[in-house]
Amino acid sequence: MTPTPFSLSGRTALITGGGSGIGLATAKCLAACGAKVILAGRREKELNDAVAEIGRSAVAQVMDVTDTASLPGLAESLKAAHGPIGILINNAGINAKKAFVDTTEEDLLRIFQTNVVGGLALTRALHPQLKASGTGSVVFISSMAALFGIPWVSAYSISKSALTGAVRTLAIEFGPDKIRVNAVAPGWIDTAMSRKAFESDPQRKQKILSRTPLGELGDTSDIGWSVAYLCSPAAKFITGTIVPVDGGVSIGF
Ligand code: NDP
């Protein structure tokens, strides 16, 4: 069969937070497009269960993105075990729901370390492999919280907003290396993280749905397919952009 421009056949992708939620769905979508996927995260059992779900094109890698000193060595050992990585999905992320006045410096630094510093350190460690692939692609998973104001998530929002600067700067610096750098900004997606938030605040869910033109929460696969597209040859002229995948919530009232 002739490969389509959406094929990821022959590519190897590392997905942080690939054991659950949006990361797992993204790994499934990339694998369905033909990529070999490396699912990375801290919890081994979660990763092994996810690998079993995906099948032979998936492998697990226990790692912590906040342990930045270990990342260059990890990048080398992954290359030795699985070949060069041409696709990096910086999806690992944490949140804290708190009023700004109760948000401590420790909260801010902890969230930044995972959501920003870790992903950037991994991107730096994988840069030689992404460049060598000739068609490197980095996708950060951002958030609506980087596009408009949302109360009670200031540290998270500030961290995701920082990724906007990262995407634009890296896209320019990496352009000559033929590495594209983009982000997907998910709207409200039905995951364990969002379900937990809605349990304690059902009015928030109602408010969100009433402002979403498509009137529903997204599926994790909605994010996965958009990421797969951004990594594919079909998107070879797209770099430096933040793509909202949000049922229209960011463009309307
Ligand atoms: P999950 O909690 O299911 O996913 C977070 C993943 O990140 C987990 O698999 C976790 O694995 C991993 N992770 C967290 N910290 C680290 C770390 N230090 N090192 C390596 N991996 C880590 O939630 P979601 O799937 O919802 O979130 C995924 C991304 O999507 C996040 O960046 C989130 O901000 C973003 N997002 C989610 C939205 C939603 O509605 N759910 C909306 C907008 C954005 P482990 O604990 O095993 O390390």
Side-chain angles (χ1 to χ4, degrees), residues 16-23 40-43 46 63-66 91-94 114-115 141-144 156 160 186-194:
T16 65
S20 66
I22 288 173
R42 293 165 302 177
R43 288 167 298 166
E46 189 114 357
M63 59 94 81
D64 183 339
V65 289
T66 67
N91 162 79
I94 56 172
T114 302
N115 295 7
I141 304 300
S142 179
S143 166
M144 288 296 101
Y156 179 77
K160 294 293 185 178
W188 277 272
I189 306 297
D190 187 16
T191 63
M193 194 195 259
S194 59

Side-chain angles (χ1 to χ4, degrees), residues 98-110:
K98 277 185 178 183
F100 172 70
V101 291
D102 298 325
T103 301
T104 62
E105 213 170 288
E106 195 278 330
D107 290 328
L108 190 60
L109 291 173
R110 186 173 48 85

Side-chain angles (χ1 to χ4, degrees), residues 24 94 101 112 117 134 150 158 173 199-200 206 216 221 228 233 243 253:
L24 173 55
I94 56 172
V101 291
F112 245 76
V117 178
I150 302 175
I158 294 164
E173 288 196 22
E199 263 167 33
S200 58
Q206 225 21 66
E216 58 189 13
S221 62
V243 180
F253 173 72

